[in-house]
Amino acid sequence: MRKELDEALCKKYPEIFKDRHGDMRTTAMIWGFQCDDGWYNIIDAVCAQIENRERNNNSVEWLSVFATQVKEKYGTLRFYYVGGDDFIDGVVAMAEAMSAVTCEVCGAPGRLRKGGWLKTLCDEHAKEQGYDKFDEEQE
């Protein structure tokens, strides 16, 4: 993810990304957001839901959520965190599912592509990155 988007998320949600510049022995957030820009809005929406949940349940200390890693894995988003409850688990699961139909590069509708690496891409970025030839082979 571009530096300015990384910084925008960390500034907007400082408690969730409090370990963004932490110790590499305790968090993987030091590596930043390990995905492309297209999932920015999904990550932003997850964080907004987490923040809203915490705001409405501020007397429950164990609910406090902070991210330990945000990355692409097997073509979809992974949002690893500490804290939360069943609601937060559901929000994160929904976001991860949304990433499977959202182009990781631009945020347009996309689908999981196979070819070397798994990657969720729109048709334009699939063609640009050479994934379209793998689509033809599978038909």
Side-chain angles (χ1 to χ4, degrees):
M1 182 176 289
R2 284 180 296 156
K3 182 179 179 182
E4 56 268 22
L5 295 178
D6 178 310
E7 290 173 351
L9 285 169
C10 292
K11 183 177 180 181
K12 190 172 182 180
Y13 306 105
E15 290 302 311
I16 296 172
F17 299 113
K18 65 183 181 182
D19 284 347
R20 174 61 185 84
H21 299 287
D23 186 329
M24 70 183 341
R25 293 173 291 188
T26 60
T27 183
M29 279 309 302
I30 63 156
W31 309 116
F33 296 87
Q34 298 170 297
C35 62
D36 288 329
D37 297 348
W39 291 343
Y40 174 88
N41 288 332
I42 295 173
I43 297 167
D44 184 43
V46 168
C47 294
Q49 289 294 315
I50 290 170
E51 192 173 75
N52 186 53
R53 179 72 169 170
E54 289 185 336
R55 189 178 311 113
N56 292 325
N57 293 286
N58 59 5
S59 63
V60 184
E61 279 191 35
W62 57 265
L63 187 60
S64 182
V65 174
F66 65 93
T68 58
Q69 187 174 32
V70 180
K71 68 178 187 174
E72 174 277 329
K73 184 174 182 180
Y74 299 119
T76 59
L77 179 69
R78 297 296 191 271
F79 191 101
Y80 300 108
Y81 59 97
V82 172
D85 60 3
D86 290 342
F87 177 83
I88 300 296
D89 293 344
V91 167
V92 170
M94 176 70 79
E96 291 176 350
M98 287 175 59
S99 73
V101 295
T102 305
C103 179
E104 184 182 353
V105 176
C106 68
R111 65 182 176 87
L112 192 60
R113 313 285 178 147
K114 296 178 182 174
W117 298 102
L118 294 172
K119 196 148 178 85
T120 301
L121 299 167
C122 64
D123 291 342
E124 180 182 335
H125 286 109
K127 184 174 183 176
E128 186 180 281
Q129 294 187 21
Y131 280 82
D132 59 330
K133 65 181 175 239
F134 295 104
D135 290 342
E136 294 168 6
E137 291 172 6
Q138 293 174 4
E139 291 177 1

